[in-house]
Amino acid sequence: MVATLKAEEASQHQLQLVEREDINDEEDLFEAIDKLISAGDVRKLQDAGIYTCNGLMMHTKKHLTGIKGLSAAKVDKICEAAEKIVNFGYISGSDALLRRKSVIRITTGSQALAELLGETSAITEAFGEFRSGKTQLAHTLCVSTQLPTSMKGGNGKVAYIDTEGTFRPDRIVPIAERFGMDPGAALDNIIYAREYTYEHQYNLLLGLAAKMAEEPFRLLIVDSVIALFRVYFTGRGELAERQQKLAQMLSRVTMIAEEFNVAVCMTNQVIADPGGGVFISDPKKPTRGHVLAHAATIRPMFTKGKGQQRVCKVFDAPNLPAAEKHIFQITPGGIADAKD
């Protein structure tokens, strides 16, 4: 039995938890192979943050044999059982297109940003200087993700990992009221964690798989992804270790996005680029270089505009032209289209 979110009548726009008897994606559950491997082995995998067959196939055998109690022979048996259920080989372009139909685009409340943010199975890295609207975007997505898909929502829950202490539950209330939702229900559908070290941050991601395997999540927010790495790793002497730890965390985030079909929105800070030259109007670039750049699918850059207006510039995206600019506005009800 799997818990899922179901919208009430469109006039109420409130969400409630209901029980769904039928399981459509049985291949994603360990119950499908528990007859081939022991319950004890399943628990060992779950303790390592692996809850689905898809998640199992995303790990190397070297990593799996590092799990306490799993020998090389046992890992081979487990992988062989999973391979009979999950197809991780070649597929046709037509099949890939069909898979893309399962992708959900979550509204931000602004039509200008409709194609930029909130795509499931993808990572969006929103970067910019302070007061550019990144955290306001995160709060708006916390609510809009809970809307039914008929209203361009994700019909699911939200996980919020906060490294800077900027999450404000009272900010959710007016945003929920704007979308016609019950503020209490909206807050109940958000799970929140405040962390202080990059190790804690990684452990939270491991534990998140257990929650997503049981309940329907559609969004993971990490605000911000890089803050703790800038604190605990300093100088070029620790550069290699820092980038390796960052790459491991980003790999885990990517697995979560694709395994559970959730959208990931990470905020990032910026640094001044001394090599930008005098002819560059805004010589700022996102922190942590190529490791983070290659992990993100869509990279919008946020800058300040007039008053409450903000500018979102396409820095990198596989389906959008670079340097394209979109103007939006921060309102009491969250992100919205800019007014002339």
Side-chain angles (χ1 to χ4, degrees):
M1 187 176 294
V2 178
T4 186
L5 283 173
K6 182 179 180 182
E8 294 181 347
E9 295 299 325
S11 59
Q12 298 181 15
H13 299 169
Q14 295 180 9
L15 298 175
Q16 60 180 1
L17 283 174
V18 298
E19 298 297 327
R20 181 161 57 94
E21 295 290 339
D22 56 316
I23 300 176
N24 296 325
D25 298 324
E26 190 175 353
E27 68 274 13
D28 287 343
L29 301 177
F30 268 114
E31 286 78 1
I33 59 171
D34 61 1
K35 294 181 180 180
L36 299 177
I37 63 175
S38 68
D41 291 338
V42 172
R43 285 194 296 271
K44 292 171 185 175
L45 291 170
Q46 291 175 344
D47 290 341
I50 303 173
Y51 280 78
T52 70
C53 294
N54 283 333
L56 174 67
M57 299 304 295
M58 292 177 183
H59 291 81
T60 64
K61 289 185 178 180
K62 179 181 179 181
H63 174 79
L64 295 174
T65 52
I67 298 174
K68 185 178 181 180
L70 294 184
S71 64
K74 190 172 290 186
V75 167
D76 288 337
K77 181 181 177 180
I78 293 173
C79 291
E80 183 180 353
E83 287 172 358
K84 295 178 180 178
I85 300 172
V86 181
N87 178 21
F88 260 61
Y90 290 106
I91 61 173
S92 68
S94 298
D95 290 338
L97 181 61
L98 287 175
R99 286 189 179 182
R100 286 287 298 171
K101 291 185 178 180
S102 66
V103 171
I104 301 172
R105 288 190 177 275
I106 301 170
T107 180
T108 61
S110 170
Q111 189 62 32
L113 304 180
E115 297 295 323
L116 282 175
L117 307 166
E119 179 179 313
T120 58
S121 294
I123 297 177
T124 299
E125 177 205 348
F127 67 92
E129 57 183 336
F130 69 96
R131 208 174 63 82
S132 60
K134 305 185 300 296
T135 299
Q136 295 300 317
L137 167 69
H139 282 71
T140 305
L141 286 172
C142 280
V143 177
S144 63
T145 299
Q146 302 180 42
L147 293 171
T149 53
S150 59
M151 298 178 63
K152 300 181 179 180
N155 199 31
K157 290 189 171 186
V158 179
Y160 198 117
I161 295 178
D162 185 5
T163 67
E164 298 181 337
T166 53
F167 178 74
R168 294 293 180 269
D170 49 300
R171 186 73 182 93
I172 299 296
V173 174
I175 299 175
E177 292 173 346
R178 168 199 172 186
F179 286 102
M181 297 175 60
D182 174 44
L187 285 167
D188 287 340
N189 288 326
I190 301 170
I191 61 171
Y192 167 79
R194 173 76 165 99
E195 75 275 3
Y196 299 91
T197 70
Y198 69 92
E199 294 170 337
H200 185 202
Q201 187 173 346
Y202 185 80
N203 290 335
L204 284 173
L205 291 172
L206 285 179
L208 193 57
K211 298 182 180 298
M212 290 188 172
E214 297 174 354
E215 299 180 272
F217 282 80
R218 278 293 171 263
L219 177 66
L220 166 62
I221 293 174
V222 184
D223 184 21
S224 74
V225 66
I226 210 66
L228 299 177
F229 288 89
R230 298 183 82 174
V231 172
Y232 289 98
F233 294 98
T234 58
R236 292 185 178 274
E238 297 181 329
L239 177 61
E241 183 183 2
R242 181 192 67 192
Q243 295 299 81
Q244 183 183 40
K245 295 293 184 183
L246 177 61
Q248 290 173 350
M249 191 202 68
L250 293 172
S251 175
R252 185 62 193 168
V253 171
T254 301
M255 291 179 186
I256 290 174
E258 297 186 6
E259 182 179 354
F260 299 103
N261 192 29
V262 300
V264 177
C265 180
M266 305 186 303
T267 66
N268 191 13
Q269 302 168 351
V270 294
I271 56 175
D273 183 10
V278 295
F279 299 104
I280 304 298
S281 58
D282 190 13
K284 297 184 183 68
K285 62 181 183 180
T287 61
R288 298 293 77 88
H290 298 292
V291 171
L292 189 54
H294 289 300
T297 310
I298 304 170
R299 308 185 77 197
M301 178 179 181
F302 285 25
T303 56
K304 302 168 188 175
K306 297 179 180 178
Q308 295 299 317
Q309 290 187 355
R310 302 292 186 270
V311 179
C312 178
K313 177 183 176 182
V314 180
F315 195 78
D316 181 32
N319 59 333
L320 296 170
E324 188 176 32
K325 293 185 178 181
H326 306 268
I327 300 177
F328 64 96
Q329 185 169 329
I330 299 175
T331 69
I335 298 295
D337 286 323
K339 297 180 180 179
D340 295 332

